[in-house]
Amino acid sequence: MEHQIADIQYCEHLFNQFYDIGSTESGGVTRLGYTKTEDRMHDMFVKLGSSLNLRSYQDQVGNTYLANSADDGYYLIGSHLDSVIEGGRYDGVAGIIAGLMVMKWAAEDGLKLPIRIGAFRCEESSNFGCCTVGSGLITKEAYKQDIGGLVSKEGETLEEVFKKNGYSLHPAKITGIKQYLELHIEQGKVLEECQTSVGIVTTIAGPRRFNIYLRGMAEHSGATPMSMRYDALCAAAEIILEIERIGKKEAAYQSVATVGVVTNHPNVLNVIPGEVELGVDIRGIEVSSLNRMERDMKEAAKQICKNRGIEYLDEKIGDIPPIGMSDSVELGLERAAKRLGISSRRMISGAGHDAMSFANICETGMVFIPCLKGISHNRAEFTSILSICDGARVIYEYLKGEAV
Ligand code: HGY
Ligand code: MN
Ligand code: MN
């Protein structure tokens, strides 16, 4: 699809306004949820909204909204402005920019449709170990009801952060939404490999997260014979490889399993590791596969620890089921892409998104755009302004169809 130069320039302008916020020396960005850096992203969001004459407001957990009307029954285009540590500049931001593009076109065309854009706090689990905090709290997602004790990278509890900002851990449920729509970079390789311009998401894989605590015995690394050790990190190493094997076994069901966090204590050269904490992330679109992975992981880890004389404890810290998008929205988005002559394909999302929170309370749809080599959660993350315009056009074309 050919885009107007003015649209491409405006889209690039939006991207550039966020660009430097949270930049790191390595060329990535770190914009952790519920930090001052995320606040700066939300401030910029409000500033860009005001240049489009949009009303802005915040809810009780710090999510920020731009609205073209006060009417209920609005179409909510959302995503997030936080990032992982040393992340890329498009994860979440592309969806917010797409929302602003839609608002621009709607104003230019005088489209009579209540539309809002939502920037949801702390979508990434990078700061508190829990994803979709902002959208999960206001949609009353079950796992978000007692997360006040989660501790940030800076050692603050979520409760302390909320108190400091005047937020509430028990906010009123969001109301008035007719449909929720989200554009996001695919964070995978399918669209690029298939040379398809947009993806229409059918199902979002459900993320389950666990902390595993291992306790051995910290002892002298020189004086303790190999046969008399309780090395927590060696047990962890066995468990990590076993979790990888379990993920590979379930790959046929499009499941994945990752140990992304290893905390070793006391983590010094001449002490046998005494305590280790593992952060485990398993995902899948089939509950039966997720259940097998959880069962096999716990059985294997307990056996490894028994064999090694290591104390074992696990804690489930998140369990969002796989969730389907709305069939009618999927079809509407697909037809919109077709009308525009933009190639599309239906696909699953292995990554989690704020759309998971909304799919429980209203009709929800997601549009993916390709990202370079599928790289994401990495400073090399990249998508083109043209792709953002493609995806935004599909959403706008869909909304025009909703307005008739
Ligand atoms: O981890 C995820 O799936 C997403 O990037 N929040
Ligand atoms: Mn992400
Ligand atoms: Mn994201």
Side-chain angles (χ1 to χ4, degrees):
M1 175 180 178
E2 289 293 313
H3 296 285
Q4 310 257 344
I5 292 291
D7 288 340
I8 296 168
Q9 288 169 335
Y10 184 70
C11 189
E12 191 159 35
H13 160 73
L14 295 174
F15 177 71
N16 291 337
Q17 300 312 299
F18 292 112
Y19 190 90
D20 288 330
I21 300 174
S23 289
T24 63
E25 279 168 24
S26 71
V29 288
T30 298
R31 303 162 172 166
L32 290 181
Y34 288 116
T35 62
K36 288 276 169 258
T37 308
E38 190 189 44
D39 292 346
R40 288 175 53 208
M41 292 293 282
H42 281 239
D43 294 344
M44 179 53 74
F45 177 50
V46 170
K47 187 173 165 221
L48 294 169
S50 66
S51 64
L52 288 171
N53 300 314
L54 298 171
R55 175 176 67 91
S56 65
Y57 63 95
Q58 271 204 341
D59 63 20
Q60 292 172 288
V61 300
N63 300 320
T64 304
Y65 301 83
L66 299 177
N68 69 357
S69 100
D71 296 347
D72 266 351
Y74 55 86
Y75 289 79
L76 179 58
I77 300 171
S79 202
H80 60 98
L81 290 170
D82 64 311
S83 77
V84 298
I85 295 171
E86 292 293 350
R89 286 180 167 79
Y90 298 88
D91 179 355
V93 175
I96 296 297
I97 290 173
L100 290 163
M101 293 303 290
V102 166
M103 285 291 204
K104 174 181 181 284
W105 294 325
E108 286 167 353
D109 296 348
L111 186 74
K112 293 285 171 263
L113 196 73
I115 305 170
R116 298 186 193 185
I117 315 171
F120 299 105
R121 292 278 184 166
C122 201
E123 187 273 347
E124 300 289 2
S125 45
S126 305
N127 200 15
F128 289 91
C130 178
C131 68
T132 61
V133 173
S135 59
L137 282 170
I138 54 145
T139 57
K140 296 298 179 189
E141 191 249 285
Y143 250 86
K144 298 292 188 311
Q145 296 323 306
D146 57 355
I147 55 174
L150 291 177
V151 181
S152 74
K153 290 282 185 223
E154 278 76 50
E156 272 189 308
T157 66
L158 193 64
E159 191 166 11
E160 287 163 344
V161 171
F162 269 48
K163 211 165 176 182
K164 190 169 66 177
N165 288 284
Y167 298 151
S168 164
L169 280 165
H170 303 286
K173 185 173 181 178
I174 189 169
T175 57
I177 309 173
K178 183 162 172 54
Q179 289 182 8
Y180 177 84
L181 300 166
E182 182 167 0
L183 176 142
H184 204 287
I185 53 171
E186 179 197 339
Q187 299 175 304
K189 306 171 170 52
V190 172
L191 290 176
E192 190 176 58
E193 303 229 332
C194 301
Q195 295 179 357
T196 306
S197 300
V198 302
I200 311 288
V201 176
T202 56
T203 308
I204 301 177
R208 274 187 204 178
R209 271 105 189 222
F210 306 84
N211 285 333
I212 290 181
Y213 304 96
L214 307 172
R215 177 180 291 166
M217 178 68 83
E219 292 181 288
H220 196 296
S221 65
T224 312
M226 290 309 287
S227 61
M228 300 169 79
R229 294 175 171 219
Y230 300 97
D231 185 327
L233 196 54
C234 288
E238 272 198 76
I239 291 170
I240 291 168
L241 289 175
E242 186 57 22
I243 288 174
E244 182 193 40
R245 189 194 63 76
I246 291 166
K248 286 182 173 173
K249 183 166 74 70
E250 294 290 334
Y253 301 91
Q254 303 192 70
S255 294
V256 291
T258 315
V259 177
V261 176
V262 180
T263 310
N264 176 31
H265 182 79
N267 206 39
V268 292
L269 197 60
N270 62 349
V271 176
I272 298 169
E275 295 184 5
V276 170
E277 179 182 325
L278 299 180
V280 186
D281 175 9
I282 65 174
R283 319 247 185 140
I285 58 172
E286 296 198 20
V287 173
S288 54
S289 176
L290 282 163
N291 292 341
R292 284 193 298 273
M293 287 200 289
E294 180 173 346
R295 179 202 63 206
D296 294 354
M297 172 189 79
K298 289 180 177 175
E299 275 174 14
K302 282 175 189 160
Q303 190 54 53
I304 289 165
C305 288
K306 191 166 169 233
N307 298 345
R308 290 176 167 269
I310 301 285
E311 278 179 57
Y312 168 87
L313 180 70
D314 64 51
E315 173 194 24
K316 187 186 274 192
I317 55 171
D319 183 352
I320 302 176
I323 196 146
M325 300 293 97
S326 152
D327 293 340
S328 60
V329 178
E330 267 177 61
L331 190 59
L333 289 167
E334 201 169 49
R335 286 176 173 159
K338 206 171 176 72
R339 288 196 297 272
L340 294 169
I342 291 177
S343 58
S344 74
R345 60 177 289 129
R346 294 198 186 198
M347 56 196 294
I348 70 153
S349 171
H353 302 286
D354 289 304
M356 296 185 294
S357 306
F358 288 92
N360 286 308
I361 66 165
C362 67
E363 288 192 317
T364 296
M366 276 200 86
V367 170
F368 271 174
I369 56 174
C371 54
L372 188 64
K373 299 194 183 97
I375 296 170
S376 181
H377 286 188
N378 179 312
R379 63 174 178 265
E381 182 183 277
F382 177 81
T383 189
S384 69
I385 293 296
L386 289 178
S387 283
I388 298 175
C389 289
D390 280 348
R393 272 286 174 198
V394 168
I395 290 179
Y396 183 56
E397 180 67 20
Y398 167 75
L399 290 176
K400 285 197 296 186
E402 290 290 299
V404 293

